[in-house]
Amino acid sequence: MIEDYDKSTELVTDSHFFKHAIRWDSLFYMEIMENDYRYFKNHAFGYGIVLLGKLFSNSLICLLILQKICNAISTELIYKISMHYSNNNHKFSQLSALLFIFTPASVFFNSLYTESFFAFLVLVAIYLQIKQKTYLSSIVFALSIHLRSNGMFFILFSGYPYLVKAIIQIKDRKFKQVVSTVLEAIPIALIYLVSIGVMLYLPYKNYCQQNEMEWCKGIIPYAYGYIQKNFWDVSFLSSYKLRKLFFIYWGIQGILIQGFWLYKWMTKSCTIKNNIQGISIILPTIILFIITTFIAHVNCSTRFFSTQIPFYWCLADLFYKKDGKINKWVLFYILEFNLGGLILFTNYLLWA
């Protein structure tokens, strides 16, 4: 109804309907699908969705349909995984799945962004782990790294049980069993390291063979971190500036809700138990929470948390007060981000 002030979307699609699914990162993905990584800063955007695009001949409608299929399967997986981790608490699991359907970051799950595909792979990997298919689970987690780099945090999910097992064996002086445990864990570590290595190597191959850029000289040549810092001012506490008050307001809500729930979980006041299984699945979210709070663009907090199943456990635990009434703070947060977030996103503002 209102003409866009930013015409960049029209460079990649003429469709009046689909152009609203193309904003911010989506433009970079479409550019890379068409022209590969011809610009250095494009290496901040993962190869996963680009490869998917090429698989479907860069068809936007095919990618969006696939996205909806992933969202539907993810909803079912959230229910099943929640049942496992909550000791078959049907009400809690059903509410977690419902809150995923109405995720505060819904705009990103319905536009050409990586959130849907990344969340899908993470949930599939967790489900495979529940089914005790550990190596297959690690492979799926490793693939997720090429959609969002924080997929590498799930090495904690895969590795923590082995670490605990080895520590207990060392305390019991069962050293032969320690060796066996380490040998079991090595292939998992290698799966993650190979995937991370591929992510690091591709920009290194393009830019460090002839032109020795500053980031190439690092012990780990990490192009993504360099691009984030130098192109988008991502650094320690860089979001907390007076001129970014609305950014802070928009981001601090997700941080407060997720942080409050993590505190409750640590004090054993949540549905998800603070045992080895519970710690394993919460650890990646804790790392993401720390990075989001202190380093990343704070206004993106809800978007980042939305791909983690503990975020929906957080909302499910907090949705009702002890007296059974709906928590108005949580309800307002969900409605505000579903409605306000959509308006901001489609007008190229703030949190994308």
Side-chain angles (χ1 to χ4, degrees):
M1 292 176 67
I2 300 173
E3 191 71 14
D4 286 341
Y5 75 86
D6 189 321
K7 295 288 186 179
S8 52
T9 294
E10 295 177 13
L11 296 174
V12 294
T13 180
D14 296 324
S15 168
H16 179 74
F17 179 76
F18 287 116
K19 74 175 184 178
H20 297 295
I22 305 291
R23 293 289 188 272
W24 298 97
D25 292 10
S26 306
L27 290 165
F28 284 94
Y29 290 125
M30 296 295 287
E31 147 69 19
I32 298 165
M33 286 176 201
E34 292 290 339
N35 302 299
D36 209 359
Y37 288 87
R38 61 174 176 173
Y39 302 120
F40 172 58
K41 74 174 181 179
N42 286 4
H43 281 284
F45 301 93
Y47 309 97
I49 196 169
V50 175
L51 293 175
L52 273 177
K54 290 182 177 180
L55 184 65
F56 291 100
S57 302
N58 297 344
S59 169
L60 178 58
I61 188 169
C62 286
L63 285 171
L64 292 175
I65 289 171
L66 180 63
Q67 181 187 67
K68 303 304 175 284
I69 294 170
C70 287
N71 288 346
I73 298 172
S74 294
T75 304
E76 177 67 17
L77 286 171
I78 283 181
Y79 174 77
K80 290 181 176 180
I81 294 167
S82 300
M83 285 289 283
H84 175 79
Y85 280 92
S86 66
N87 293 322
N88 295 316
N89 187 326
H90 172 71
K91 184 180 178 181
F92 172 80
S93 302
Q94 199 172 47
L95 182 57
S96 298
L98 184 64
L99 288 165
F100 174 75
I101 294 171
F102 295 99
T103 174
S106 62
V107 68
F108 298 105
F109 283 79
N110 292 283
S111 54
L112 191 61
Y113 267 65
T114 56
E115 273 66 20
S116 288
F117 305 112
F118 178 73
F120 170 72
L121 286 185
V122 166
L123 291 166
V124 167
I126 294 170
Y127 187 72
L128 287 170
Q129 182 65 43
I130 291 171
K131 296 297 182 182
Q132 299 184 334
K133 297 180 179 179
T134 304
Y135 294 135
L136 187 55
S137 169
S138 299
I139 290 170
V140 177
F141 275 132
L143 289 173
S144 77
I145 294 170
H146 299 286
L147 286 166
R148 296 199 63 80
S149 61
N150 56 285
M152 68 179 72
F153 300 157
F154 284 94
I155 195 171
L156 298 171
F157 172 81
S158 301
Y160 181 74
Y162 288 98
L163 177 63
V164 172
K165 187 178 178 181
I167 290 172
I168 292 171
Q169 290 168 344
I170 290 169
K171 287 181 179 179
D172 294 340
R173 298 182 179 277
K174 297 177 180 178
F175 298 113
K176 288 185 178 179
Q177 292 182 18
V178 173
V179 173
S180 177
T181 300
V182 171
L183 290 174
E184 281 182 50
I186 285 174
I188 294 171
L190 288 175
I191 288 167
Y192 279 94
L193 289 174
V194 167
S195 188
I196 293 168
V198 170
M199 180 186 73
L200 295 173
Y201 175 70
L202 291 175
Y204 181 87
K205 181 189 72 171
N206 290 340
Y207 291 94
C208 297
Q209 300 295 326
Q210 298 175 344
N211 302 314
E212 193 73 5
M213 298 180 73
E214 180 185 342
W215 62 273
C216 297
K217 301 173 185 177
I219 297 173
I220 299 176
Y222 189 38
Y224 179 79
Y226 179 86
I227 294 167
Q228 288 285 333
K229 182 178 180 180
N230 289 276
F231 285 88
W232 293 301
D233 189 30
V234 175
S235 57
F236 185 68
L237 298 180
S238 61
S239 287
Y240 298 96
K241 296 174 182 176
L242 199 60
R243 61 184 174 84
K244 296 183 177 181
L245 279 179
F246 196 80
F247 282 59
I248 296 169
Y249 164 76
W250 195 253
I252 206 70
Q253 296 175 73
I255 287 171
L256 288 175
I257 287 176
Q258 185 70 81
F260 178 63
W261 182 82
L262 285 172
Y263 169 77
K264 283 171 66 68
W265 174 78
M266 288 177 183
T267 56
K268 302 181 179 180
S269 306
C270 293
T271 305
I272 304 302
K273 301 304 176 187
N274 201 332
N275 52 21
I276 293 174
Q277 271 197 333
I279 293 170
S280 296
I281 200 166
I282 301 298
L283 273 175
T285 299
I286 291 174
I287 300 300
L288 182 63
F289 175 80
I290 292 169
I291 290 173
T292 301
T293 304
F294 297 106
I295 299 173
H297 286 158
V298 68
N299 49 295
C300 296
S301 62
T302 293
R303 175 190 160 197
F304 295 155
F305 297 147
S306 69
T307 60
Q308 313 285 309
I309 191 169
F311 178 65
Y312 302 101
W313 292 341
C314 157
L315 295 178
D317 265 333
L318 301 177
F319 195 77
Y320 291 104
K321 296 179 180 179
K322 290 182 179 180
D323 59 8
K325 294 180 179 179
I326 291 175
N327 187 327
K328 292 180 181 178
W329 176 36
V330 175
L331 181 61
F332 173 76
Y333 169 66
I334 294 169
L335 294 175
E336 177 190 20
F337 274 72
N338 267 287
L339 299 175
L342 175 63
I343 294 168
L344 292 170
F345 177 83
T346 52
N347 286 281
Y348 295 90
L349 296 171
L350 279 176
W351 70 315

